Amino acid sequence: MLLAIDAGNTNVVCAIFDGDRKRGQWRIATDGRRTADEYAVWLVALMTMSGLKREDVDAAILASVVPAATFNLQRLCIDHFGVEPMRVGAPGIHLGLEIRINNPREAGADRLLNALAATSIYPSPLVVVDIGTGTTFDVVDADGAFCGGIIAPGPSLALDALHRVAAQLPKVDIVRPATVIGRGTVGAMQSGMFWGYLSMIEGLLTRIQAELSPTGDPPVTVIVTGGLGAQFAEATSMIHHIDNELTLRGLLLVHKRNMIS
């Protein structure tokens, strides 16, 4: 079985695949100080609850955008599962995705995996909108090549920053307000975070589509992923699909392609 690990800025997600079938998925808050032993105690306990044993794992793949966590996640695979993890971005690891940006090494592993997985399921050209710690737009052109995108702060990050620097503004939840005009401080903040971010998403998608497919033929497919993706997708017709499995599916694809090669 394959242990797939996606280390993002907010969470580390681990999944076990038996072929194409996902047998379990778990997440833990990202912390660069967490040791391989601590990861093992957490992960092995959850695997046991799902009827899985560490001996079931005979391969691993890791994608990390958090350098402080990468070493201990590698040690987790080696010391506790007895496998050397395939690492996305390492020399010799082929994604099977053409990267058409100025410096391909700048693209985050999670963004490339999202684009790779999306091209295996949805028609190109396409845009993957990932709403998490950051809000990223990953663009794939009509040829199926990753051609760049946009990076902006995520709504939760922006809300935390607003709460920290403005003494009179409370911490509020990100919800969909019934009206755009807030009738109080909390309502005004929630409107800014929800309708403001949705307007940014719709505005940027409009501009991306104008550059990517000026005539509208072929049409641009838009997929949303990330913790807040579904909440925003429900409020706009510009997002066509909700898919929170993209990164893990991308890891599975990369592992298969490199095992074959």
Side-chain angles (χ1 to χ4, degrees):
M1 294 187 189
L2 174 68
L3 169 60
I5 304 174
D6 168 31
N9 289 301
T10 303
N11 292 304
V12 174
V13 180
C14 296
I16 300 291
F17 286 95
D18 185 358
D20 290 334
R21 179 189 171 201
K22 187 173 67 176
R23 294 286 302 275
Q25 177 180 325
W26 312 275
R27 66 183 59 234
I28 190 170
T30 303
D31 184 347
R33 300 167 298 176
R34 187 171 282 115
T35 67
D37 296 339
E38 289 174 312
Y39 280 118
V41 170
W42 162 77
L43 181 56
V44 173
L46 289 171
M47 288 175 59
T48 301
M49 292 170 62
S50 298
L52 299 168
K53 299 178 292 187
R54 74 173 75 192
E55 294 81 10
D56 294 332
V57 174
D58 56 15
I61 185 167
L62 166 65
S64 175
V65 297
V66 186
T70 303
F71 174 79
N72 282 313
L73 288 169
Q74 288 177 307
R75 296 314 312 177
L76 165 70
C77 298
I78 296 167
D79 296 344
H80 295 279
F81 291 92
V83 293
E84 179 77 36
M86 185 182 294
R87 188 167 62 82
V88 177
I93 300 301
H94 305 289
L95 298 184
L97 176 72
E98 185 179 356
I99 304 173
R100 294 178 180 171
I101 62 175
N102 294 336
N103 183 359
R105 297 181 66 87
E106 288 182 351
D110 53 345
R111 299 180 63 196
L112 295 177
L113 290 169
N114 284 346
L116 173 64
T119 59
S120 73
I121 305 167
Y122 307 103
S124 298
L126 60 83
V127 183
V128 177
V129 185
D130 189 345
I131 308 175
T133 304
T135 299
T136 60
F137 297 71
D138 302 318
V139 183
V140 174
D141 64 23
D143 297 329
F146 178 81
C147 62
I150 298 167
I151 302 174
S156 296
L157 185 62
L159 186 58
D160 287 342
L162 192 63
H163 170 63
R164 285 198 307 269
V165 301
Q168 291 186 317
L169 296 182
K171 182 76 177 288
V172 300
D173 294 326
I174 297 174
V175 298
R176 178 180 178 176
T179 60
V180 175
I181 300 172
R183 304 299 180 182
T185 299
V186 170
M189 292 177 67
Q190 290 175 330
S191 181
M193 287 301 108
F194 187 86
W195 296 118
Y197 261 85
L198 184 63
S199 296
M200 179 192 76
I201 291 167
E202 291 178 327
L204 289 175
L205 285 174
T206 298
R207 292 176 180 273
I208 290 171
Q209 290 170 344
E211 290 185 14
L212 197 57
S213 183
T215 65
D217 185 23
V220 178
T221 305
V222 180
I223 308 103
V224 71
T225 189
L228 293 171
Q231 195 170 350
F232 284 94
E234 292 169 355
T236 178
S237 61
M238 295 190 71
I239 295 172
H240 308 123
H241 304 281
I242 302 168
D243 193 335
N244 288 322
E245 298 289 316
L246 285 178
T247 311
L248 290 174
R249 195 177 296 120
L251 283 169
L252 183 61
L253 281 171
V254 172
H255 185 265
K256 283 183 176 181
R257 289 175 179 179
N258 285 271
M259 290 299 292
I260 292 172
S261 61

